[in-house]
Amino acid sequence: MRKNVIAGNWKMNKVLSEAEQFVEETKTRIPGEEKAESIVCAPFPFLPGLVEKAKGSDLKVAAQNMHFEDNGAFTGEVSPVMLKDLGVTHVVLGHSERREYFAETDETVNKKAHAAFNHNLTPIICVGETLEQRENNETMNHIESQVKQALSGLTEEQVKASIIAYEPIWAIGTGKTATSEQANEVCAHIRNVVKQFSSEEAGEAIRLQYGGSVKPANVDELLSQSDIDGALVGGASLEADSFVQLAEAGAK
Ligand SMILES: O=C(CO)COP(=O)(O)O
């Protein structure tokens, strides 16, 4: 039985006081970790403060990106060693916004996935197709290629522990949610790809989130699907009440 994982991706929003207030307001209201995992993916400057505030609660704190090297001459970058040292548990890798605006590639996502596991961080690996790819019936091939490249060289245990977020680019921030059938169809495909690529057990164990205009009003329907094990939520994760509702849906 896979445990749902609900992650709020704040992207480039909030200031520190707002971020800390959010954690204060949510940390005692989210479901216990044994029922569902609840994560906030916050901008780098907030991470130490949020880890401190979330201590002793079931709320986990994630970064939205990182470099794949441990340290070195990479001005402006943040390493997995730094994140681990702060008490961060998860890291979002390969979000479509990073692929589009910051030259993230399947190759760097794969290097980062290895680096995450080398430092005991759980990667939330994002994949997804453009509207053009969907209209040209390229979705399944594109997703398969992204998944295989991201997971390349990981051990079976690491694949089992990974989280993949299926985020169709046309559904991000647009208010257009994929139908639960569309989302589940792609997640089922990802699971099959993982089964063939790694093992039957790894395919059964890996958790798959859907992301793209998820909100309290549509989360139940999405989570009721057989191959969807959580949500990666942008806009609707910014308000404490809305995040708590999403986290509660994960525990149903
Ligand atoms: O990109 C997303 C989460 O990573 C989805 O964003 P929205 O929920 O705002 O559509």
Side-chain angles (χ1 to χ4, degrees):
M1 189 61 189
R2 296 180 296 265
K3 200 195 296 176
N4 281 333
V5 50
I6 305 294
N9 176 11
W10 289 349
K11 309 190 180 183
M12 196 173 71
N13 289 293
K14 296 189 187 291
V15 294
L16 180 60
S17 56
E18 293 166 341
E20 291 190 343
Q21 191 187 341
F22 178 101
V23 171
E24 275 302 323
E25 282 179 29
T26 56
K27 67 180 182 184
T28 54
R29 295 165 60 203
I30 53 165
E33 199 188 335
E34 69 291 348
K35 293 194 184 138
E37 270 186 81
S38 308
I39 306 172
V40 284
C41 312
F44 291 131
F46 308 163
L47 295 175
L50 298 193
V51 168
E52 192 55 37
K53 280 250 178 265
K55 253 189 199 142
S57 80
D58 289 312
L59 186 65
K60 292 182 179 147
V61 179
Q64 298 174 8
N65 177 41
M66 66 176 194
H67 199 273
F68 47 80
E69 293 288 352
D70 288 1
N71 49 49
F74 299 102
T75 302
E77 291 292 312
V78 170
S79 83
V81 176
M82 298 171 190
L83 297 180
K84 190 65 198 171
D85 179 61
L86 290 179
V88 166
T89 54
H90 295 68
V91 58
V92 178
L93 300 179
H95 192 280
S96 59
E97 288 149 17
R98 295 217 58 88
R99 293 179 191 256
E100 182 175 357
Y101 307 127
F102 302 100
E104 190 80 80
T105 64
D106 288 321
E107 191 187 347
T108 55
V109 171
N110 178 247
K111 285 184 178 171
K112 291 177 182 191
H114 282 270
F117 280 114
N118 287 342
H119 295 285
N120 246 323
L121 295 161
T122 300
I124 300 175
I125 298 164
C126 302
V127 298
E129 81 285 5
T130 61
L131 185 59
E132 194 185 352
Q133 285 169 323
R134 178 157 281 268
E135 286 172 347
N136 291 337
N137 282 328
E138 291 164 7
T139 300
M140 296 306 190
N141 281 344
H142 175 69
I143 300 291
E144 178 165 346
S145 158
Q146 283 188 318
V147 167
K148 284 182 174 167
Q149 290 185 73
L151 301 180
S152 175
L154 295 181
T155 66
E156 185 185 354
E157 288 312 306
Q158 290 171 337
V159 172
K160 283 183 186 173
S162 299
I163 298 169
I164 295 182
Y166 167 55
E167 299 205 312
I169 294 166
W170 48 272
I172 295 178
T174 57
K176 277 189 208 160
T177 323
T179 63
S180 47
E181 290 77 20
Q182 281 174 324
N184 196 54
E185 187 187 19
V186 177
C187 287
H189 178 59
I190 294 173
R191 202 173 296 290
N192 279 331
V193 168
V194 173
K195 283 182 184 176
Q196 283 157 25
F197 180 76
S198 182
S199 70
E200 182 75 19
E201 294 74 25
E204 282 302 325
I206 194 168
R207 288 180 299 166
L208 308 178
Q209 296 175 311
Y210 167 78
S213 300
V214 176
K215 44 190 183 282
N218 60 21
V219 70
D220 287 330
E221 159 103 30
L222 288 158
L223 294 182
S224 71
Q225 300 294 312
S226 58
D227 287 290
I228 301 179
D229 314 309
L232 183 58
V233 188
S237 75
L238 290 167
E239 293 296 327
D241 287 348
S242 170
F243 180 75
V244 170
Q245 285 176 52
L246 293 162
E248 281 172 343
K252 277 183 200 159

